[in-house]
């Protein structure tokens, strides 16, 4: 968003001052909802994003313990969003692109863990599934919904591996 805002609208945004969570929406200040909608609907937006620092190494670690699927909601005003997410996964997380499931009904997808930063998806998933919900720490992360809340991908992966190692030992 920050790079897109600079390019599209000539707005300089400082990383530390960008996020606010209002209700169920993340707001990137000083962008308006209309500006955000424009950015999200542009062809190339999703494929141009950089991975969050540490995500690639963390997912490689998690793949040793879990079967990973990527469940991502297509953006309704961007008909290329699903394809762009596929290309993005192929570029940065090669091998996981074939495990991409595009749906806004994430609660329909079972599993032991959902890693997501969208609290509405997390809440819905948790109400239907019986697994853990994990998220990176953001201003909008709701600890009453999220079971594992970590500041980095490294600590998130470590926490998940530890949690499931303990659960497996208890089951034996």
């Amino acid at each position: 968003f920050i790079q897109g805002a600079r390019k599209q609208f000539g707005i300089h945004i400082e990383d530390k001052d960008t996020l606010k969570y209002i209700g169920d929406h993340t707001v990137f200040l000083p962008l308006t909802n209309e500006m955000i909608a424009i950015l999200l609907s542009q062809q190339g937006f999703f494929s141009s994003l950089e991975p969050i620092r540490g995500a690639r190494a963390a997912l490689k670690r998690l793949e040793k313990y879990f079967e990973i699927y990527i469940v991502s909601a297509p953006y309704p005003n961007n008909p290329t969003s699903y394809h762009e997410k596929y290309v993005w996964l192929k570029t940065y997380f090669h091998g996981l692109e074939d495990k991409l499931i595009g749906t806004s009904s994430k609660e329909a997808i079972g599993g032991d863990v959902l890693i997501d930063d969208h609290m509405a998806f997390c809440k819905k998933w948790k109400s239907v599934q019986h697994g853990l919900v994990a998220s990176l720490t953001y201003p909008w992360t709701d600890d009453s919904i999220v079971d594992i809340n970590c500041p980095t991908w490294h600590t998130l992966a470590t926490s998940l591996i530890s949690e499931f190692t303990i659960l497996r030992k208890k089951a034996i």
Side-chain angles (χ1 to χ4, degrees):
F1 280 105
I2 294 169
Q3 292 171 351
R6 288 180 185 145
K7 184 178 176 183
Q8 179 79 24
F9 306 111
I11 296 173
H12 180 74
I13 299 174
E14 294 295 326
D15 292 335
K16 64 182 176 7
D17 299 324
T18 58
L19 300 176
K20 261 194 178 176
Y21 191 64
I22 301 171
D24 198 29
H25 302 282
T26 308
V27 178
F28 294 81
L29 300 175
L31 297 179
T32 65
N33 287 339
E34 293 80 20
M35 291 173 165
I36 293 169
I38 289 169
L39 290 174
L40 289 170
S41 63
Q42 288 182 345
Q43 187 172 349
F45 173 79
F46 291 97
S47 58
S48 70
L49 296 172
E50 294 287 326
I52 296 172
R53 186 179 331 166
R56 289 170 23 177
L59 283 175
K60 282 197 182 302
R61 280 181 62 208
L62 288 170
E63 282 182 303
K64 294 176 184 175
Y65 297 87
F66 303 100
E67 185 172 356
I68 296 175
Y69 289 88
I70 306 298
V71 182
S72 185
Y75 188 70
N77 295 328
N78 184 337
T80 63
S81 68
Y82 182 81
H83 177 72
E84 288 181 38
K85 290 175 183 187
Y86 177 89
V87 169
W88 185 85
L89 284 168
K90 190 171 186 171
T91 301
Y92 294 109
F93 299 91
H94 187 67
L96 287 178
E97 70 275 8
D98 293 328
K99 293 185 170 194
L100 175 62
I101 300 168
T103 181
S104 295
S105 299
K106 293 182 181 185
E107 71 279 3
I109 308 299
D112 294 320
V113 179
L114 173 70
I115 302 172
D116 207 315
D117 66 346
H118 194 290
M119 293 300 106
F121 286 141
C122 292
K123 187 175 183 176
K124 247 181 166 173
W125 188 85
K126 197 170 188 174
S127 73
V128 175
Q129 303 298 330
H130 299 288
L132 295 174
V133 173
S135 180
L136 293 179
T137 304
Y138 292 106
W140 59 86
T141 305
D142 184 341
D143 287 332
S144 70
I145 298 170
V146 174
D147 301 298
I148 298 174
N149 182 4
C150 297
T152 67
W153 269 101
H154 175 77
T155 56
L156 185 84
T158 300
S159 295
L160 286 171
I161 292 165
S162 174
E163 182 74 27
F164 277 91
T165 300
I166 291 167
L167 290 173
R168 284 185 185 130
K169 284 181 182 176
K170 285 182 181 178
I172 293 176

